[in-house]
Amino acid sequence: RPPNSAVKRAKKMVKHNNVVPNQHFHKKWARRVKTWFDQPAQKKIRRERRKLKAAQVAPRPAAGSLRPLVRCPTQKNNSKLRLG
């Protein structure tokens, strides 16, 4: 036999980010599973917080004068609008 036959017989490392096959869920697996049952509630909470924050900083934009919309000068970008 060639000397590298022992390497071929040994278990190879898995390549890439594949699923580990044949998982047998023991060891109270339900405790380790991450659930998202509070997702709708968190969505509502985030939305309410955004509304509160927007009300607190209401008279915007207060940091300087308003700038007009202008078109970019070059042919490549003249379809785009930006602040002047």
Side-chain angles (χ1 to χ4, degrees):
R1 288 190 173 177
N4 65 352
S5 64
V7 175
K8 285 183 180 178
R9 277 187 283 130
K11 271 197 166 178
K12 289 183 178 181
M13 282 292 296
V14 287
K15 292 183 179 178
H16 313 297
N17 190 17
N18 299 328
V19 175
V20 178
N22 304 327
Q23 294 182 9
H24 300 288
F25 293 107
H26 291 294
K27 296 187 181 176
K28 306 216 166 117
W29 63 270
R31 223 183 339 155
R32 295 173 172 82
V33 173
K34 176 75 174 144
T35 60
W36 292 81
F37 295 130
D38 64 338
Q39 189 179 30
Q42 288 301 320
K43 181 179 177 179
K44 187 176 177 184
I45 289 169
R46 278 193 302 273
R47 187 173 181 187
E48 294 299 320
R49 277 196 202 135
R50 274 198 302 271
K51 284 169 78 173
L52 259 174
K53 188 175 178 182
Q56 286 173 352
V57 293
R60 291 176 99 180
S65 60
L66 295 175
R67 295 192 291 169
L69 288 176
V70 295
R71 291 195 180 272
C72 300
T74 60
Q75 280 187 343
K76 176 182 176 184
N77 294 320
N78 67 5
S79 62
K80 296 183 181 179
L81 290 172
R82 64 175 172 84
L83 295 177

